[in-house]
Amino acid sequence: MRRADGDTDGELVEVSTDGPRFESELEALVLGAFGDGEDVEGVWDLEYEPDEIPDWTVTIDRKDGR
């Protein structure tokens, strides 16, 4: 999996998929949902209770322009 890394000024870097890491789990989730015909592209707001758990915004953009 490749991702932009803040430590490299946003350049794409290769990320190891050894072990149960966040990147590999996210990749499996997105590929599985896409394979099942789900529309995964978009902005997803994740809001949690209690307030001690941070809320997140996840953006999934397709790079091939379709």
Side-chain angles (χ1 to χ4, degrees):
M1 180 178 196
R2 294 168 54 94
R3 66 178 174 90
D5 189 330
D7 292 337
T8 60
D9 296 326
E11 294 178 30
L12 290 178
V13 295
E14 291 293 328
V15 177
S16 171
T17 56
D18 297 337
R21 299 182 51 160
F22 173 78
E23 292 89 352
S24 60
E25 291 179 17
L26 178 61
E27 181 178 27
L29 174 68
V30 171
L31 290 176
F34 179 76
D36 289 341
E38 296 290 330
D39 183 14
V40 297
E41 187 174 12
V43 177
W44 301 87
D45 290 322
L46 310 175
E47 298 177 0
Y48 298 98
E49 295 290 334
D51 290 335
E52 290 80 19
I53 300 173
D55 295 334
W56 300 89
T57 297
V58 177
T59 303
I60 301 175
D61 292 322
R62 201 171 163 153
K63 289 191 172 193
D64 63 3
R66 291 186 192 181

